[in-house]
Amino acid sequence: MKDEKKRGRPRGFDPKAALGKARDVFWDRGFAAASLDNLSAATNLNRPSLYGAFGDKEDLYLDTLEGYRQDGMDVLIEALDPSLPLRDNIARVYAGALAIYLHGETAARGCLLIGTASAEAVQHERVREVLGRSLNDFDDEIEKRMRLAVERGELPRSADPQMLARLASAVMHSLAVRARAGDSRETLEAIARSGVEMICGSAP
Amino acid sequence: MKDEKKRGRPRGFDPKAALGKARDVFWDRGFAAASLDNLSAATNLNRPSLYGAFGDKEDLYLDTLEGYRQDGMDVLIEALDPSLPLRDNIARVYAGALAIYLHGETAARGCLLIGTASAEAVQHERVREVLGRSLNDFDDEIEKRMRLAVERGELPRSADPQMLARLASAVMHSLAVRARAGDSRETLEAIARSGVEMICGSAP
DNA sequence: CATATTTTGTACCGTTTCGCATTAAATTCT
DNA sequence: AGAATTTAATGCGAAACGGTACAAAATATG
């Protein structure tokens, strides 16, 4: 269903791969400081090709954010596999986050959304919307697992799934910020372990 | 000791006030998207005056970050007044943070450091240094109070002051990000309350 | 009052920015 | 084969950018 031959000259590049390269540029430099020349060089696409395929710079940025959000949700859902104990789930969420955050040429990149979209969120409403939606979707997914934990007795009946989820997310937000601030992997892993303990302290 | 009359023409403006206006510009737009025209307009200073007083744009930005950091530390230290119960201390820390974060023309501004310095942290080493140092100083100040709480018996002997402090900070980092993402004051206050409960749960 | 020194305001310089106009190339449809 | 359609490459252009040169203004010193 994707090979319906289109009429004109075919694309000489893979839009998904190009989006991945653009994402790296935005990740390192942020939206405002990433120039179309940077993006053009990284993607090996001329500016008109970029423009034709993705729209203007803000459109391109929003596309990369959407893709990142989706990838993140996939990682999250896999980490929250309900056949595992809650404690393992949360530990896997943090491990998955750190695997993404601790990767950069000069310095760790942290989270694309928290690290770069936050900066634009005040002035660019569409960016703020994606950021807010992403955070909420993450919370909701964790909350689902927390509710299940209460039903199963992994957590006491008195536990508040929504608040536990938001606090679990909070630790992840902190990991994102601290990674970009230059904290060591050891420090971040220690915080993640403490976070698991704090969130799942009452779980077996 | 500040009126040692200097030789040339005296300044026609208050550098501290100008720095405050510049801070607002960076807070709303971030570093990269804030132009010297924006800063010049907000401070009512010509670009040469700005340059003469603070150096180039990055110097000016770093100055605003330093000032913000210092102000934040003052608020934090006041909130952590050791004559109050630990629970009140942490609640005051979050209340103080939200008072700063929830203030903006178009949308809430969140934290200047977390919201804007994070974006530049990967590429600008000096910004990363200020950000990292700020986060650490905050952690350390809270940790001091946590240690006191253990000594006093407000927390069990088994409590880990460093980790409790880092988790208390984590909730604040999350408040900063969520404020900038557009979360309501009610939501943020609920998270803050849950954070207090989670951190001080075992405290009287 | 003249000179030295610092700040202020205007105007400008070279670069970089984003976006597009235009033309050449590659493919499908008739 | 030729028309139609889509993509690719070059390059342009108007605007915005950060930073500064320069001269006028304001103060202290001698």
Side-chain angles (χ1 to χ4, degrees), chain A residues 26-27 30-31 61 65 111-120 180, chain B residues 119:
Chain A
F26 286 128
W27 210 332
F31 169 73
Y61 180 58
L65 290 185
C111 169
L112 175 67
L113 280 158
I114 292 174
T116 75
S118 290
E120 313 296 329
R180 212 161 160 101

Side-chain angles (χ1 to χ4, degrees), chain A residues 64-162:
Chain A
T64 69
L65 290 185
E66 267 314 334
Y68 179 82
R69 188 187 80 85
Q70 191 57 60
D71 290 354
M73 285 297 284
D74 293 346
V75 171
L76 179 68
I77 288 169
E78 195 183 321
L80 289 175
D81 176 354
S83 73
L84 297 171
L86 177 65
R87 193 182 225 82
D88 290 5
N89 285 142
I90 305 300
R92 282 160 54 105
V93 169
Y94 296 149
L98 287 183
I100 294 169
Y101 298 165
L102 292 173
H103 187 278
E105 315 277 309
T106 57
R109 300 174 305 179
C111 169
L112 175 67
L113 280 158
I114 292 174
T116 75
S118 290
E120 313 296 329
V122 174
Q123 300 267 320
H124 294 96
E125 193 179 338
R126 295 159 72 196
V127 175
R128 184 167 69 250
E129 189 275 330
V130 179
L131 176 60
R133 178 159 44 84
S134 302
L135 298 182
N136 284 332
D137 288 357
F138 261 68
D139 287 346
D140 291 349
E141 200 61 39
I142 301 180
E143 182 182 340
K144 276 185 0 199
R145 182 65 186 83
M146 291 293 180
R147 262 204 299 271
L148 184 63
V150 173
E151 287 172 20
R152 284 181 177 171
E154 288 181 294
L155 289 173
R157 282 249 169 265
S158 62
D160 179 343
Q162 182 179 47

Side-chain angles (χ1 to χ4, degrees), chain B residues 30-105:
Chain B
F31 169 73
S35 71
L36 285 186
D37 281 341
N38 297 147
L39 295 162
S40 176
T43 56
N44 280 313
L45 291 175
N46 304 314
R47 262 163 308 173
S49 295
L50 265 178
Y51 198 83
F54 306 107
D56 69 11
K57 190 178 137 181
E58 185 172 329
D59 293 331
L60 174 57
Y61 180 58
L62 289 167
D63 272 2
T64 69
L65 291 185
E66 262 322 326
Y68 179 82
R69 188 188 81 84
Q70 192 55 60
D71 290 355
M73 284 298 283
D74 293 345
V75 171
L76 178 67
I77 288 170
E78 195 183 321
L80 289 177
D81 176 354
S83 72
L84 296 172
L86 177 67
R87 195 182 224 84
D88 289 6
N89 285 141
I90 306 300
R92 282 159 55 104
V93 169
Y94 295 150
L98 287 182
I100 294 170
Y101 299 165
L102 291 173
H103 185 278
E105 316 277 311

